[in-house]
Amino acid sequence: MRSDLLQRAVRDAFPASALRKAATMRAGARGSSGPGKHRIHSGTTIFTMKYADGIMCAADRKTSGWGYSIVAQDSIKIRQVDQLSVVLGCGDVSSIQLIEKTLATANREFRDSNDYPLSIEGQSAYLSELLRFWHAYYGDAFEAGSILAGLDAEGAHIFELESDGCVLLRPHHASNGSGGFRVEDQLDARWVPDLSRKDALIVAMHCLAHSGWRDSGSSDAVIATPTVVVITSKKGVEFLPSDEIERALGTALLTKRWANQRIAKLLATGQPKPRRRK
């Protein structure tokens, strides 16, 4: 990865003087009761998996902050960063937003300079360099984990990146966040190669229903309909409509002993969820 593109993307996303000030404030806030203890944080369940037509990505909707407070139940944790790639983020929200913005800037400038897109492996190398650059220059690691997923001329790729710049190539699927290990259990049991879009979506809803039931940092999939994105060579990045997601969710919930079967049947048949009484 060209260092000038990296540094320019970071500067365009956030001025260096402000980054240094933010790093100083972070360092001073550790061990105190000041602003460092009140960051908005996304506990989160995020994951992505390959299926017959491309890649499917999914995430819950909860964002937390200030201890046990819930800031939002409608957060979008999957962001498009190029024509055929997305980033999923968990952890400190400000760090996630910086990762998304700098990668989108790098992709745009690379395409403008070279008239062809940066490969998914190149994008993962850029993110790794960004995370290592931040840690070396400011003495502070990002408090975020991310998954990069996308298509290029060599096929479908999934990379998992940790806050220290570690990059892991995942051959079939990847998960992260506080509910990530719940998802891994479901994927190990249910994922098979060449799933259809319909079957892959049902597997995704099994994953998010289970993490929402067992993980306090992830939202209940019935309360907050998850975000699901598919990446295909024909249509690019496509955010799936809520009704399609909820039908698959209902189908998955019908197999759960702990689920409300009345609500599961409504969702599976495409009927609206009952409103909560005020």
Side-chain angles (χ1 to χ4, degrees):
M1 172 60 61
R2 287 170 46 189
S3 60
D4 59 329
L5 278 178
L6 170 63
Q7 294 174 7
R8 195 187 333 163
V10 173
R11 286 197 303 271
D12 289 346
F14 212 65
S17 58
L19 287 173
R20 285 194 292 271
K21 183 178 179 181
T24 302
M25 291 176 65
R26 271 188 181 183
R30 291 197 184 95
S32 70
S33 59
K37 295 293 183 181
H38 300 294
R39 289 192 212 120
I40 295 177
H41 186 274
S42 184
T44 306
T45 297
I46 58 172
F47 71 96
T48 183
M49 60 182 174
K50 295 180 181 179
Y51 76 110
D53 297 330
I55 296 177
M56 180 173 289
C57 308
D60 80 306
R61 305 291 293 276
K62 180 189 287 186
T63 296
S64 307
W66 309 296
Y68 295 101
S69 174
I70 297 175
V71 176
Q73 287 276 22
D74 57 357
S75 301
I76 303 298
K77 302 171 184 178
I78 307 173
R79 297 292 180 184
Q80 183 174 357
V81 291
D82 202 16
Q83 293 179 355
L84 293 173
S85 62
V86 300
V87 164
L88 301 83
C90 62
D92 180 43
V93 174
S94 64
S95 298
I96 296 168
Q97 291 172 342
L98 184 56
I99 287 172
E100 294 165 350
K101 188 171 183 179
T102 51
L103 182 55
T105 300
N107 278 325
R108 183 176 64 252
E109 293 193 350
F110 187 92
R111 188 184 293 272
D112 291 344
S113 300
N114 300 280
D115 295 326
Y116 61 88
L118 184 61
S119 68
I120 307 302
E121 184 177 2
Q123 293 180 45
S124 72
Y126 163 76
L127 277 186
S128 177
E129 288 299 315
L130 169 64
L131 296 169
R132 294 177 184 181
F133 170 84
W134 179 283
H135 188 246
Y137 191 73
Y138 300 108
D140 194 17
F142 273 45
E143 295 183 14
S146 56
I147 299 174
L148 171 68
L151 307 178
D152 58 21
E154 297 181 355
H157 306 278
I158 299 172
F159 290 94
E160 185 176 354
L161 296 103
E162 298 299 336
S163 59
D164 60 357
C166 172
V167 183
L168 299 173
L169 173 62
R170 297 300 193 185
H172 307 302
H173 49 72
S175 66
N176 208 327
S178 57
F181 70 99
R182 307 285 185 183
V183 167
E184 288 294 337
D185 291 342
Q186 293 293 308
L187 289 174
D188 286 342
R190 300 178 185 279
W191 183 88
V192 295
D194 297 326
L195 286 167
S196 66
R197 170 165 157 165
K198 180 180 178 181
D199 290 339
L201 186 54
I202 292 173
V203 170
M205 291 304 102
H206 276 288
C207 294
L208 289 173
H210 193 65
S211 67
W213 178 250
R214 293 295 184 183
D215 174 48
S216 62
S218 304
S219 60
D220 188 312
V222 174
I223 295 175
T225 303
T227 305
V228 181
V229 171
V230 294
I231 310 172
T232 62
S233 57
K234 292 182 178 180
K235 294 187 176 181
V237 176
E238 179 186 2
F239 283 77
L240 300 191
S242 295
D243 57 349
E244 182 179 356
I245 297 170
E246 289 176 355
R247 283 195 298 271
L249 174 61
T251 301
L253 289 176
L254 286 172
T255 68
K256 310 293 184 185
R257 289 178 296 175
W258 45 262
N260 185 311
Q261 295 300 298
R262 173 172 165 265
I263 293 178
K265 290 178 182 178
L266 290 174
L267 292 172
T269 55
Q271 300 180 57
K273 292 181 288 187
R275 296 182 179 180
R276 290 181 294 175
R277 294 180 181 178
K278 294 184 179 180

mmCIF file of all heavy atoms in Angstrom, residues 76-80 86 197 227-230 236-242 244-245:
data_model
loop_
_atom_site.group_PDB
_atom_site.id
_atom_site.type_symbol
_atom_site.label_atom_id
_atom_site.label_comp_id
_atom_site.label_asym_id
_atom_site.label_seq_id
_atom_site.Cartn_x
_atom_site.Cartn_y
_atom_site.Cartn_z
ATOM 1 N N ILE A 76 -27.000 1.355 12.019
ATOM 2 C CA ILE A 76 -26.553 0.594 10.851
ATOM 3 C C ILE A 76 -25.058 0.353 11.019
ATOM 4 O O ILE A 76 -24.270 1.298 11.081
ATOM 5 C CB ILE A 76 -26.819 1.355 9.542
ATOM 6 C CG1 ILE A 76 -28.302 1.697 9.421
ATOM 7 C CG2 ILE A 76 -26.347 0.527 8.345
ATOM 8 C CD1 ILE A 76 -29.216 0.505 9.356
ATOM 9 N N LYS A 77 -24.659 -0.911 11.084
ATOM 10 C CA LYS A 77 -23.269 -1.260 11.374
ATOM 11 C C LYS A 77 -22.541 -1.835 10.165
ATOM 12 O O LYS A 77 -21.451 -2.374 10.295
ATOM 13 C CB LYS A 77 -23.227 -2.244 12.544
ATOM 14 C CG LYS A 77 -23.901 -1.668 13.788
ATOM 15 C CD LYS A 77 -24.057 -2.690 14.889
ATOM 16 C CE LYS A 77 -24.823 -2.089 16.063
ATOM 17 N NZ LYS A 77 -25.048 -3.080 17.147
ATOM 18 N N ILE A 78 -23.166 -1.741 9.001
ATOM 19 C CA ILE A 78 -22.558 -2.192 7.752
ATOM 20 C C ILE A 78 -22.513 -0.997 6.811
ATOM 21 O O ILE A 78 -23.547 -0.386 6.537
ATOM 22 C CB ILE A 78 -23.359 -3.336 7.108
ATOM 23 C CG1 ILE A 78 -23.588 -4.472 8.104
ATOM 24 C CG2 ILE A 78 -22.645 -3.849 5.863
ATOM 25 C CD1 ILE A 78 -24.510 -5.566 7.593
ATOM 26 N N ARG A 79 -21.324 -0.658 6.332
ATOM 27 C CA ARG A 79 -21.172 0.512 5.470
ATOM 28 C C ARG A 79 -20.471 0.138 4.172
ATOM 29 O O ARG A 79 -19.466 -0.577 4.166
ATOM 30 C CB ARG A 79 -20.354 1.596 6.179
ATOM 31 C CG ARG A 79 -21.011 2.147 7.440
ATOM 32 C CD ARG A 79 -22.258 2.944 7.122
ATOM 33 N NE ARG A 79 -22.886 3.463 8.336
ATOM 34 C CZ ARG A 79 -24.031 4.139 8.359
ATOM 35 N NH1 ARG A 79 -24.667 4.387 7.217
ATOM 36 N NH2 ARG A 79 -24.536 4.582 9.493
ATOM 37 N N GLN A 80 -21.011 0.639 3.068
ATOM 38 C CA GLN A 80 -20.385 0.416 1.772
ATOM 39 C C GLN A 80 -19.184 1.340 1.636
ATOM 40 O O GLN A 80 -19.276 2.543 1.876
ATOM 41 C CB GLN A 80 -21.384 0.677 0.649
ATOM 42 C CG GLN A 80 -20.825 0.388 -0.730
ATOM 43 C CD GLN A 80 -21.877 0.513 -1.828
ATOM 44 O OE1 GLN A 80 -23.054 0.775 -1.549
ATOM 45 N NE2 GLN A 80 -21.464 0.328 -3.074
ATOM 46 N N VAL A 86 -17.794 -3.831 1.554
ATOM 47 C CA VAL A 86 -18.395 -3.215 2.739
ATOM 48 C C VAL A 86 -17.494 -3.468 3.940
ATOM 49 O O VAL A 86 -16.661 -4.385 3.936
ATOM 50 C CB VAL A 86 -19.802 -3.771 3.041
ATOM 51 C CG1 VAL A 86 -20.759 -3.520 1.880
ATOM 52 C CG2 VAL A 86 -19.741 -5.257 3.392
ATOM 53 N N ARG A 197 -29.728 -17.821 -1.740
ATOM 54 C CA ARG A 197 -29.955 -16.579 -0.995
ATOM 55 C C ARG A 197 -30.998 -16.785 0.103
ATOM 56 O O ARG A 197 -30.821 -16.311 1.231
ATOM 57 C CB ARG A 197 -30.401 -15.475 -1.953
ATOM 58 C CG ARG A 197 -30.909 -14.202 -1.275
ATOM 59 C CD ARG A 197 -30.974 -13.077 -2.242
ATOM 60 N NE ARG A 197 -31.917 -12.037 -1.841
ATOM 61 C CZ ARG A 197 -31.962 -10.824 -2.363
ATOM 62 N NH1 ARG A 197 -31.120 -10.492 -3.318
ATOM 63 N NH2 ARG A 197 -32.837 -9.932 -1.968
ATOM 64 N N THR A 227 -29.907 -5.698 10.116
ATOM 65 C CA THR A 227 -29.453 -5.219 8.809
ATOM 66 C C THR A 227 -28.790 -6.382 8.075
ATOM 67 O O THR A 227 -27.940 -7.061 8.646
ATOM 68 C CB THR A 227 -28.437 -4.082 8.960
ATOM 69 O OG1 THR A 227 -28.991 -3.042 9.754
ATOM 70 C CG2 THR A 227 -28.038 -3.528 7.600
ATOM 71 N N VAL A 228 -29.187 -6.607 6.832
ATOM 72 C CA VAL A 228 -28.582 -7.663 6.017
ATOM 73 C C VAL A 228 -28.210 -7.078 4.657
ATOM 74 O O VAL A 228 -29.021 -6.382 4.033
ATOM 75 C CB VAL A 228 -29.531 -8.863 5.835
ATOM 76 C CG1 VAL A 228 -28.851 -9.954 5.000
ATOM 77 C CG2 VAL A 228 -29.963 -9.432 7.183
ATOM 78 N N VAL A 229 -27.001 -7.365 4.227
ATOM 79 C CA VAL A 229 -26.483 -6.875 2.948
ATOM 80 C C VAL A 229 -25.954 -8.054 2.156
ATOM 81 O O VAL A 229 -25.308 -8.948 2.721
ATOM 82 C CB VAL A 229 -25.351 -5.851 3.174
ATOM 83 C CG1 VAL A 229 -24.667 -5.493 1.864
ATOM 84 C CG2 VAL A 229 -25.891 -4.592 3.838
ATOM 85 N N VAL A 230 -26.240 -8.086 0.857
ATOM 86 C CA VAL A 230 -25.624 -9.076 -0.023
ATOM 87 C C VAL A 230 -24.776 -8.352 -1.057
ATOM 88 O O VAL A 230 -25.102 -7.249 -1.499
ATOM 89 C CB VAL A 230 -26.674 -9.973 -0.721
ATOM 90 C CG1 VAL A 230 -27.389 -10.831 0.301
ATOM 91 C CG2 VAL A 230 -27.679 -9.141 -1.509
ATOM 92 N N GLY A 236 -24.059 -5.654 -7.263
ATOM 93 C CA GLY A 236 -23.195 -4.930 -6.349
ATOM 94 C C GLY A 236 -23.648 -5.096 -4.903
ATOM 95 O O GLY A 236 -24.065 -6.169 -4.483
ATOM 96 N N VAL A 237 -23.580 -4.001 -4.139
ATOM 97 C CA VAL A 237 -23.968 -4.017 -2.727
ATOM 98 C C VAL A 237 -25.459 -3.723 -2.617
ATOM 99 O O VAL A 237 -25.934 -2.691 -3.088
ATOM 100 C CB VAL A 237 -23.161 -2.976 -1.920
ATOM 101 C CG1 VAL A 237 -23.642 -2.925 -0.472
ATOM 102 C CG2 VAL A 237 -21.669 -3.302 -1.979
ATOM 103 N N GLU A 238 -26.204 -4.634 -2.012
ATOM 104 C CA GLU A 238 -27.664 -4.516 -1.920
ATOM 105 C C GLU A 238 -28.122 -4.719 -0.475
ATOM 106 O O GLU A 238 -27.879 -5.764 0.125
ATOM 107 C CB GLU A 238 -28.310 -5.562 -2.821
ATOM 108 C CG GLU A 238 -29.826 -5.571 -2.801
ATOM 109 C CD GLU A 238 -30.416 -6.715 -3.606
ATOM 110 O OE1 GLU A 238 -29.646 -7.536 -4.160
ATOM 111 O OE2 GLU A 238 -31.663 -6.815 -3.655
ATOM 112 N N PHE A 239 -28.772 -3.708 0.093
ATOM 113 C CA PHE A 239 -29.363 -3.824 1.421
ATOM 114 C C PHE A 239 -30.741 -4.468 1.275
ATOM 115 O O PHE A 239 -31.601 -3.959 0.550
ATOM 116 C CB PHE A 239 -29.498 -2.448 2.079
ATOM 117 C CG PHE A 239 -28.203 -1.903 2.617
ATOM 118 C CD1 PHE A 239 -27.250 -1.364 1.764
ATOM 119 C CD2 PHE A 239 -27.932 -1.939 3.977
ATOM 120 C CE1 PHE A 239 -26.047 -0.866 2.255
ATOM 121 C CE2 PHE A 239 -26.739 -1.444 4.482
ATOM 122 C CZ PHE A 239 -25.794 -0.908 3.611
ATOM 123 N N LEU A 240 -30.961 -5.585 1.947
ATOM 124 C CA LEU A 240 -32.213 -6.321 1.793
ATOM 125 C C LEU A 240 -33.362 -5.608 2.494
ATOM 126 O O LEU A 240 -33.183 -5.008 3.561
ATOM 127 C CB LEU A 240 -32.075 -7.735 2.352
ATOM 128 C CG LEU A 240 -31.007 -8.627 1.714
ATOM 129 C CD1 LEU A 240 -31.176 -10.068 2.191
ATOM 130 C CD2 LEU A 240 -31.065 -8.562 0.196
ATOM 131 N N PRO A 241 -34.569 -5.668 1.919
ATOM 132 C CA PRO A 241 -35.736 -5.017 2.543
ATOM 133 C C PRO A 241 -36.153 -5.724 3.832
ATOM 134 O O PRO A 241 -35.948 -6.933 3.998
ATOM 135 C CB PRO A 241 -36.813 -5.133 1.457
ATOM 136 C CG PRO A 241 -36.390 -6.307 0.625
ATOM 137 C CD PRO A 241 -34.891 -6.310 0.629
ATOM 138 N N SER A 242 -36.776 -4.966 4.722
ATOM 139 C CA SER A 242 -37.158 -5.499 6.038
ATOM 140 C C SER A 242 -38.124 -6.670 5.932
ATOM 141 O O SER A 242 -38.038 -7.623 6.722
ATOM 142 C CB SER A 242 -37.782 -4.381 6.886
ATOM 143 O OG SER A 242 -36.845 -3.378 7.168
ATOM 144 N N GLU A 244 -38.420 -9.033 3.656
ATOM 145 C CA GLU A 244 -37.712 -10.267 3.311
ATOM 146 C C GLU A 244 -36.936 -10.799 4.519
ATOM 147 O O GLU A 244 -36.924 -12.016 4.787
ATOM 148 C CB GLU A 244 -36.751 -10.019 2.147
ATOM 149 C CG GLU A 244 -36.013 -11.266 1.691
ATOM 150 C CD GLU A 244 -35.074 -11.018 0.520
ATOM 151 O OE1 GLU A 244 -35.043 -9.883 -0.001
ATOM 152 O OE2 GLU A 244 -34.353 -11.968 0.127
ATOM 153 N N ILE A 245 -36.305 -9.898 5.257
ATOM 154 C CA ILE A 245 -35.542 -10.296 6.445
ATOM 155 C C ILE A 245 -36.474 -10.866 7.510
ATOM 156 O O ILE A 245 -36.186 -11.904 8.126
ATOM 157 C CB ILE A 245 -34.760 -9.089 7.006
ATOM 158 C CG1 ILE A 245 -33.743 -8.590 5.985
ATOM 159 C CG2 ILE A 245 -34.062 -9.460 8.316
ATOM 160 C CD1 ILE A 245 -33.093 -7.264 6.360
#
